Amino acid sequence: MTIRTIIVDDEPLARRGLELRLRMAADIEIIGQCSNGREALAAIRDQKPDLVFLDIQMPGLSGFDVLAELQPHELPMIVFVTAYDRFAIQAFEARAIDYVLKPVDDARLAATLTHVRELWEQRAAVAERNQLVHLLAELRGSGEIEAGNSLAPDVRTPQTPAWLPIRNGRETVRVPVQAIEWVDAAGDYLCIHAEGNTHILRATMREMENLLDPRLFQRVHRSTIVNLTRVKSLRAHMNGEYFLRLEGGQELKLSRTY
């Protein structure tokens, strides 16, 4: 069997160079190429590749933003394509996340493909995503819910806030609660998806569940809370579970427990 692969890079020459090298590996099948993060998200969800070579620094939606948008069941194996400095590379290595530096070195790419083949034999998507979100929180910072009077209550539901004030360093971003599409857990962090952005918090699902209006938000999985008004359709799975499709096209797993 071949490892179905997508290349994501905003530079055509970089995509072409990586393509030529990967075509020399008999077990790598290139099924698509993307020039930006939005294309990458759509291709990953539509084609469900085994492996993605993902450029980090892209205009608009970065490689990190793409990862933050993906659910554990959507996540392929990720190899970063990066020109980052030594500090970031050390962070990648500490998390056992594969990378290739630009310009791509043949020996490094061969070592990466060896690691990919090992992972392909026995993958753990949830653990991988947790590592990636942890890395993202370290490089970009993670926020926290600002306590106090900034949690402005909704007049219809006095117990719950209308806004989530998320503090990251000196900046506080006010996220409208009704704009939140879904929340998912990644290890010690939560990813709040709202208005096309992903906010990473150091918090627990229990804390978020207690904060949000239960008439609007429902726990659908041990690691996922969904805004019920954003659910477009429900699709049954053969094992008794379901998949919820949101207005934005995302699919979230609804476990039998919930």
Side-chain angles (χ1 to χ4, degrees):
M1 294 180 64
T2 58
I3 301 174
R4 301 168 66 254
T5 303
I6 289 176
I7 299 171
V8 182
D9 200 304
D10 63 314
E11 300 174 5
L13 289 178
R15 293 198 304 272
R16 180 59 175 164
L18 189 53
E19 175 191 5
L20 292 174
R21 288 171 170 82
L22 290 176
R23 290 200 183 281
M24 298 175 66
D27 57 349
I28 300 295
E29 178 190 1
I30 299 174
I31 62 171
Q33 298 189 32
C34 304
S35 61
N36 59 62
R38 288 292 172 199
E39 287 181 6
L41 275 176
I44 290 170
R45 286 169 173 155
D46 180 53
Q47 301 184 54
K48 297 177 173 55
D50 302 307
L51 172 66
V52 174
F53 281 85
L54 182 61
D55 186 19
I56 293 177
Q57 294 172 297
M58 295 184 291
L61 208 65
S62 72
F64 285 141
D65 294 328
V66 170
L67 293 176
E69 287 281 339
L70 293 171
Q71 291 290 291
H73 68 273
E74 297 176 313
L75 190 69
M77 291 181 289
I78 298 291
V79 173
F80 287 124
V81 182
T82 178
Y84 264 34
D85 60 19
R86 182 177 300 275
F87 170 80
I89 294 302
Q90 289 173 345
F92 297 161
E93 291 176 326
R95 299 291 180 283
I97 296 170
D98 254 300
Y99 68 92
V100 291
L101 281 173
K102 293 181 181 181
V104 176
D105 176 76
D106 290 341
R108 175 61 193 172
L109 181 59
T112 295
L113 290 179
T114 297
H115 188 198
V116 163
R117 294 178 182 109
E118 293 170 353
L119 287 176
W120 193 50
E121 295 296 326
Q122 187 174 12
R123 293 195 52 220
V126 173
E128 289 174 31
R129 183 173 187 269
N130 291 353
Q131 288 179 338
L132 292 169
V133 171
H134 192 157
L135 170 62
L136 180 57
E138 281 195 353
L139 295 182
R140 292 203 321 201
S142 63
E144 58 183 14
I145 301 296
E146 191 170 60
N149 296 329
S150 354
L151 289 176
D154 190 318
V155 293
R156 295 163 300 172
T157 56
Q159 306 87 347
T160 59
W163 302 80
L164 287 186
I166 300 174
R167 187 177 68 244
N168 196 334
R170 295 183 177 181
E171 182 182 23
T172 297
V173 178
R174 283 163 51 88
V175 179
V177 169
Q178 289 194 348
I180 297 174
E181 299 161 13
W182 84 97
V183 179
D184 63 322
D188 297 329
Y189 297 91
L190 295 183
C191 295
I192 296 181
H193 306 271
E195 300 178 317
N197 297 311
T198 299
H199 304 276
I200 297 178
L201 306 178
R202 196 171 185 92
T204 67
M205 289 295 285
R206 176 70 66 182
E207 290 169 342
M208 187 58 57
E209 199 172 16
N210 291 338
L211 190 61
L212 298 174
D213 185 352
R215 297 176 300 178
L216 187 63
F217 291 90
Q218 179 67 52
R219 187 90 168 259
V220 297
H221 189 276
R222 63 183 179 84
S223 61
T224 310
I225 296 172
V226 69
N227 185 336
L228 297 176
T229 66
R230 302 302 180 107
V231 177
K232 185 177 180 181
S233 64
L234 186 68
R235 177 171 61 85
H237 192 268
M238 64 180 65
N239 65 359
E241 295 180 332
Y242 286 82
F243 285 96
L244 304 175
R245 181 172 290 274
L246 305 188
E247 291 174 350
Q250 301 86 0
E251 275 200 340
L252 308 179
K253 183 182 288 187
L254 171 60
S255 70
R256 287 176 291 183
T257 306
Y258 292 91

